[in-house]
Amino acid sequence: MSTTPGPVCPKFVPAEKSEISSVSKSDGFKFSLVSYNILSQEFLKRALFPHSPGPCLKWKARSQAVLTVIKSLGTDFLCLQELDEYDSFYKSNIESVGYSSIYAQRSGTKRDGCGIFYKQDSAELIIEEKIDYNDLVPSIQDDTAVDKEANLPAGGNKNLASEGDVSLKNSLADLGDLNDPCVRLNVTVDPELADVKLAQAKYLLSRLAQFKLLVSDKFDCSSPVVVAGDFNSLPGDQVYQYLISGSSVVGTLPESSDDAPIPLCSVYASTRGEPHFTNCTPLFTETIDYILFSPSGDIKPVSYLELPEPEAPDVEGGLPNYYHPSDRLPIGAEFELVQ
């Protein structure tokens, strides 16, 4: 009998407090969402994870462990980042338990991308849109020349598009009487490039405002918004502050008066406080993944996915390990839509 431990399958914990109060005391429609950077196998070099047990890094074992965690969650929506082997493995295996999905692969040389999986009995896809951060490059006002061969600004903003990061926006119906735009963000750049990340965040919220207006006009509704994913930014930094306030100390892109940022609130910050970490390796253990939502009387978080404490034995020494198949932890929330 094998004594190798299996992956930890986290559970949802009721929110004891919330800064968002409902306008109605009656229970509304509820849905759950999990965001998870599953760590692309392409990025999983042994030299980068010397602390991890060798067998945990192998594709066969790790992919099955990721799948076990995903299936155990049973959420209505799965927002996955660094998703590779989509067509050959994840699509069929996740859809076999009742999900449909959409996927956007990075442009450039990388093989991973972003995927949203949604339960067929919970939602129906009505509109889909892809954001490619390469589209940002012509918008940046920079004194440096443009490297036309790479289609990137020369100098400090060379990593602006981060080799083709993408974001998926989609509107999913059949959530009670409300349409819910559920948005996935992947911004994976050098943590030191604050101006790049801020530009990406501004671009995302600008496009999101346009998308929200499109949904509102097409379906004659005012929809709550959920934004989830890997922001590669710490709580309190410029990107985080911009996302939750729509303003920042240093600007990179001007806002259009027609596309004012949508105010957002962090699920964990408004319930239990931001986690101690969502990324856990010996060299970098910080919170860089978030689930954000538009705070209003129409939507509120009622539970969140539990996360380990720093002293927990299952994260000792850093990830990935036998308990956690990625260097990231899944984060999640259950929301109530008040009719």
Side-chain angles (χ1 to χ4, degrees):
M1 180 179 294
S2 173
T3 58
T4 302
V8 171
C9 299
K11 306 298 182 184
F12 283 91
V13 177
E16 296 181 0
K17 69 178 184 70
S18 176
E19 297 174 2
I20 310 300
S21 59
S22 171
V23 297
S24 171
K25 294 183 179 180
S26 61
D27 290 338
F29 178 83
K30 294 180 181 179
F31 70 93
S32 55
L33 178 147
V34 161
S35 177
Y36 192 16
N37 183 321
I38 62 174
L39 180 58
S40 170
Q41 195 69 19
E42 183 179 9
F43 304 153
L44 216 166
K45 309 300 183 184
R46 184 63 181 145
L48 299 177
F49 298 93
H51 57 279
S52 298
C56 298
L57 306 182
K58 301 294 184 181
W59 162 250
K60 185 175 181 180
R62 206 173 72 84
S63 60
Q64 290 297 328
V66 169
L67 196 62
T68 296
V69 173
I70 288 173
K71 287 183 176 181
S72 74
L73 294 168
T75 54
D76 297 300
F77 300 96
L78 288 165
C79 301
L80 303 183
Q81 303 98 57
E82 292 195 25
L83 175 61
D84 54 6
E85 305 297 340
Y86 170 75
D87 289 316
S88 62
F89 181 77
Y90 285 109
K91 184 178 188 294
S92 59
N93 278 290
I94 298 178
E95 289 188 352
S96 68
V97 291
Y99 290 88
S100 292
S101 64
I102 54 176
Y103 176 72
Q105 185 172 335
R106 291 203 221 194
S107 56
T109 60
K110 301 300 182 183
R111 296 187 292 107
D112 68 303
C114 305
I116 299 177
F117 295 80
Y118 54 96
K119 280 192 173 179
Q120 297 171 358
D121 58 359
S122 298
E124 175 187 4
L125 178 65
I126 55 176
I127 303 178
E128 175 186 348
E129 184 176 344
K130 174 184 175 182
I131 296 174
D132 191 329
Y133 289 109
N134 281 305
D135 297 339
L136 246 180
V137 176
S139 302
I140 298 295
Q141 302 298 319
D142 199 304
D143 294 333
T144 60
V146 173
D147 183 345
K148 297 183 182 299
E149 181 178 351
N151 194 32
L152 291 171
N157 281 333
K158 189 172 182 181
N159 289 326
L160 179 63
S162 187
E163 298 195 40
D165 279 345
V166 295
S167 175
L168 281 176
K169 281 196 305 196
N170 67 94
S171 182
L172 298 161
D174 257 357
L175 294 177
D177 295 328
L178 297 175
N179 299 301
D180 176 54
C182 173
V183 183
R184 227 286 315 143
L185 168 68
N186 185 30
V187 181
T188 311
V189 295
D190 188 328
E192 300 302 319
L193 299 177
D195 58 334
V196 173
K197 292 185 289 181
L198 186 58
Q200 289 180 320
K202 289 186 174 185
Y203 185 58
L204 174 82
L205 292 199
S206 175
R207 292 287 298 272
L208 176 57
Q210 297 173 29
F211 188 70
K212 180 176 170 63
L213 182 62
L214 173 64
V215 172
S216 177
D217 290 344
K218 188 176 181 67
F219 300 99
D220 191 25
C221 67
S222 179
S223 305
V225 174
V226 175
V227 183
D230 162 18
F231 291 80
N232 204 16
S233 298
L234 304 178
D237 72 7
Q238 285 189 353
V239 171
Y240 182 91
Q241 289 299 328
Y242 179 78
L243 290 169
I244 64 174
S245 68
S247 63
S248 57
V249 177
V250 180
T252 306
L253 287 178
E255 263 77 54
S256 164
S257 58
D258 297 328
D259 301 317
I262 296 172
L264 298 171
C265 180
S266 166
V267 165
Y268 282 90
S270 65
T271 54
R272 49 142 280 171
E274 295 293 5
H276 294 290
F277 55 87
T278 60
N279 183 101
C280 183
T281 65
L283 296 180
F284 186 78
T285 299
E286 297 286 354
T287 294
I288 52 178
D289 303 89
Y290 306 95
I291 296 175
L292 310 171
F293 66 102
S294 52
S296 70
D298 296 329
I299 184 172
K300 68 173 183 177
V302 294
S303 67
Y304 54 83
L305 200 65
E306 64 180 351
L307 293 166
E309 296 296 320
E311 64 276 7
D314 57 294
V315 297
E316 184 178 359
L319 311 181
N321 59 20
Y322 290 111
Y323 303 100
H324 301 280
S326 173
D327 58 345
R328 304 291 183 88
L329 298 168
I331 56 175
E334 183 184 26
F335 293 94
E336 180 183 22
L337 294 175
V338 181
Q339 309 277 335

